[in-house]
Structure formats: structure tokens, C-alpha cells
Amino acid sequence: MDLTLDAARLTAQLVDTASVSGDEKHLADLVETALRRLGHLEVDRDGDAVVARTRLGRAERVVLAGHLDTVPVAGNLPSRLDGTWEDGVLWGCGTSDMKAGVAVQLRIAATVPAPNRDLTFVFYDNEEVDASRNGLRRLAERHPDWLTGDFAVLLEPSDGEIEGGCQGTLRAVLRTEGERAHSARSWLGTNAIHAAAPALARLAAYESRRAVIDGLEYREGLNAVRVSGGVAGNVVPDVCEVTVNFRYAPDRSEEEAIAFVREYFDGCGIAGITVEDSSPGALPGLAHPAAAAFTAAVGGTPRPKYGWTDVARFTALGVPAVNYGPGDPNYAHKRDEHVHTARIHHCEERLRAWLTA
């Protein structure tokens, strides 16, 4: 890995290094080796997470964090450049979410050896999968001192604008039950798939709640993301499961979100609701002095973060955090995922100006 490359070219190098969740080791090795060559950083590693820190005795410490993994490739590798490295479009899996942000982190690490604030760089694994596997969660449990800071910037895709806080997310499975029978004599059974109809109808009728927090409007969403059921082509099924995903505003606690889901489907004939995965949101915290200073330095108007990000994990550690990265979140996880190279350079320049002013 060549940290003398500009951030756009470095993004392409990162994109073309396989790193689907669970397969980040090779990329983590490259990142660790490149950072250890920089004499001004202290480097640690846990699994496939790499942490590097300056020790300059500054009055404030800032954490710059980003995940190394991507969602599964969708026929969109290797990367492809349209236009120039200075003002073109780079296509490929992970360009937006979030290899461009990781490239900016690495460039700052390599080219700002004496920042005006002490810096901690965190590169972690398994962000795109269940929260139980998240590398930042593992670091918070095993090495919370590695993540200590006064302020954190998560370089998740935000199209070069500050995004405050994040919404919470939970995934729950609604189970309906029936009685199995031969489909030729279906009156002898009860179809569990048909029994899911009231819950699906209630989902279709859901109206999104909007919450304004610190001037930012968050919009909630409740959706079925999977339906599973059926035994064979000639059998009335006795079990059906509907998986729902609730994205909720950060003024709700995790417990309140779970209670809402259970209450929302009350009376739909659900046999049971099991929460499979849950991560609370994070309030914007833009009034914190460090966040206000960052906003003043990089400019723009802060926006709400609709997706869940690890700003929530930093918030839980008592470290105020924002999302600020060069990718466009609207193209994350898509086949046509891409990033504008000018955005990568802009993001790097604004961070460098903030850290060297």
C-alpha cells in the first residue's frame, strides 16, 4: 500500500483489495504495515482492527474512524475511473461506503505528522454485518482506552457534509403459526403464510414518524425485509416468519423502540416476536464545543444521519461524534456504487486545514 498516492488513487487501491465482511485480514495487514512505516505513530492491532495514535501532548485528542469491510461484491470490481483522478468518477464496490473515507484517514495519517490536536486513527472490521461481530464494538469491550478522545469523526459516506447523530436500528422476526396439512385437503389445516396477512397489511399502512432534534429532522421507517415459510409444493405450511427492520429516531431508546414494534403488531395474530439484532441511535450533539468547532472549520449545514453508524458506539463511550466522509450514502451497497474524486480531495483538504490551522 502506497501512502504517497493521492487520496483518489489510494481509494482505487483499497477498493481493489478484497475485504468483504469477514475477509478483511489481508487489507488490515496492508494498513498495519503502512502505518508502522510512519515513525510518528504508535500502532496497535486487535484481530483485523488497527489503531494508530500520535503522542504529542496536545490539549485535545480527535479520533478519525472508518471500517475496512464492504458488503458482498455485485459484479462491480475491479474499480473503474471515468474522467480524471482530480475531477472524475470512481466506480466499484466500496467506493462510497467507505474506502474513500479510509483513504482520507490514511492520507491524513501519512501527511500530518504534527497536527494541532493529538489524533487516533481507527480502522476496523465487520461493520456491515451483525452488531455482535462489529470490530469497533470489540475494541470498546477489550481496549476502551484505545478509543479515548474528546471528539470523533466517523468517515462514513455523507457526500462531504456533516451528518449529526444517527438513527437506531432493530431487526425483529414475527412468527405466525398454523397447522400442517396436505394441500389437496387444505381444510384440514391452517395456513401460517395466510396468517401473516394482517401483519403485512399493517406494515403497508405504516406512516413514518418524523422527529426534529437539535434542528435536524429524522424520519423513521418500518419495513418487511424478508418473508420465509413453506414446506413443499403440496403442503399447507404451519410456520411463517416475517423479518422487519425498524429504523428509529435517536430520541427513542432501544427499549422504547422494541416496545413500539411489539405494540404496533398487537392484534395481528402474531404467535411470537423475536428481536434478532438491535443497535441504539445517537443524538446529534452538535452543540458540544468540539463539534461546533469542527462544523465551523469544515463549513456547510449539518444534516441528520438516517442510517445507523458507529457514532452511536462513540456516543455510548462518552465521545461526541459526527459523520463526515466523501462518499454519497445514496449509492452505498448499490451495483452502481461510485464516488466523485473531487469529493475525496475536498474532504481531505478540509480535514487537513482543521488539523493544521
Side-chain angles (χ1 to χ4, degrees), residues 304-320:
K305 186 67 173 181
Y306 292 119
W308 185 91
T309 73
D310 277 306
V311 295
R313 214 169 297 283
F314 280 108
T315 300
L317 290 170
V319 181

Side-chain angles (χ1 to χ4, degrees), residues 119-174:
L119 295 178
T120 298
F121 301 92
V122 182
F123 305 87
Y124 61 100
D125 55 299
N126 283 305
E127 190 271 349
E128 299 288 8
V129 288
D130 290 353
S132 61
R133 296 171 55 188
N134 185 292
L136 192 62
R137 172 180 176 171
R138 187 180 67 251
L139 290 177
E141 292 172 349
R142 295 181 181 178
H143 310 285
D145 55 307
W146 292 6
L147 304 178
T148 299
D150 299 287
F151 181 59
V153 178
L154 199 67
L155 280 91
E156 283 278 357
S158 66
D159 206 22
E161 301 289 346
I162 295 172
E163 292 186 333
C166 71
Q167 299 207 135
T169 179
L170 75 83
R171 193 171 64 251
V173 178
L174 318 180

Side-chain angles (χ1 to χ4, degrees), residues 138-269:
R138 187 180 67 251
L139 290 177
E141 292 172 349
R142 295 181 181 178
H143 310 285
D145 55 307
W146 292 6
L147 304 178
T148 299
D150 299 287
F151 181 59
V153 178
L154 199 67
L155 280 91
E156 283 278 357
S158 66
D159 206 22
E161 301 289 346
I162 295 172
E163 292 186 333
C166 71
Q167 299 207 135
T169 179
L170 75 83
R171 193 171 64 251
V173 178
L174 318 180
R175 178 184 174 94
T176 56
E177 297 177 349
E179 183 179 352
R180 190 180 298 197
H182 196 299
S183 60
R185 293 174 291 280
S186 57
W187 58 88
L188 298 178
T190 303
N191 195 306
I193 294 178
H194 296 179
L200 293 172
R202 192 162 294 183
L203 276 166
Y206 171 79
E207 294 185 4
S208 176
R209 169 181 175 262
R210 302 188 185 207
V212 177
I213 308 168
D214 292 350
L216 306 182
E217 183 180 79
Y218 295 87
R219 183 173 179 177
E220 296 184 334
L222 181 64
N223 290 279
V225 293
R226 177 176 296 176
V227 178
S228 60
V231 180
N234 59 352
V235 178
V236 173
D238 56 351
V239 174
C240 178
E241 293 183 335
V242 179
T243 303
V244 298
N245 182 214
F246 183 36
R247 299 287 178 144
Y248 56 93
D251 60 345
R252 291 189 196 261
S253 69
E254 191 174 14
E255 294 74 19
E256 289 170 340
I258 293 171
F260 169 80
V261 170
R262 294 188 182 281
E263 181 181 346
Y264 190 78
F265 293 103
D266 187 43
C268 290

Side-chain angles (χ1 to χ4, degrees), residues 13-151:
Q13 190 176 89
L14 291 167
V15 168
D16 291 334
T17 303
S19 54
V20 173
S21 302
D23 189 28
E24 302 97 327
K25 183 180 184 305
H26 179 54
L27 181 54
D29 290 344
L30 294 175
V31 168
E32 180 185 13
T33 299
L35 292 175
R36 288 194 184 279
R37 292 193 184 113
L38 304 174
H40 60 280
L41 294 174
E42 172 187 290
V43 181
D44 291 298
R45 180 164 175 171
D46 181 289
D48 291 330
V50 182
V51 177
R53 286 162 290 181
T54 62
R55 297 287 192 185
L56 301 172
R58 304 295 195 233
E60 185 176 87
R61 177 171 291 278
V62 169
V63 182
L64 302 181
H67 62 84
L68 298 174
D69 61 320
T70 70
V71 296
V73 177
N76 49 357
L77 285 184
S79 61
R80 172 174 58 87
L81 176 70
D82 286 342
T84 68
W85 290 109
E86 291 71 31
D87 189 15
V89 179
L90 183 66
W91 303 80
C93 181
T95 45
S96 173
D97 187 13
M98 58 168 293
K99 296 299 179 63
V102 171
V104 170
Q105 284 179 262
L106 289 167
R107 285 288 296 164
I108 295 296
T111 61
V112 186
N116 53 23
R117 299 159 170 86
D118 266 310
L119 295 178
T120 298
F121 301 92
V122 182
F123 305 87
Y124 61 100
D125 55 299
N126 283 305
E127 190 271 349
E128 299 288 8
V129 288
D130 290 353
S132 61
R133 296 171 55 188
N134 185 292
L136 192 62
R137 172 180 176 171
R138 187 180 67 251
L139 290 177
E141 292 172 349
R142 295 181 181 178
H143 310 285
D145 55 307
W146 292 6
L147 304 178
T148 299
D150 299 287
F151 181 59

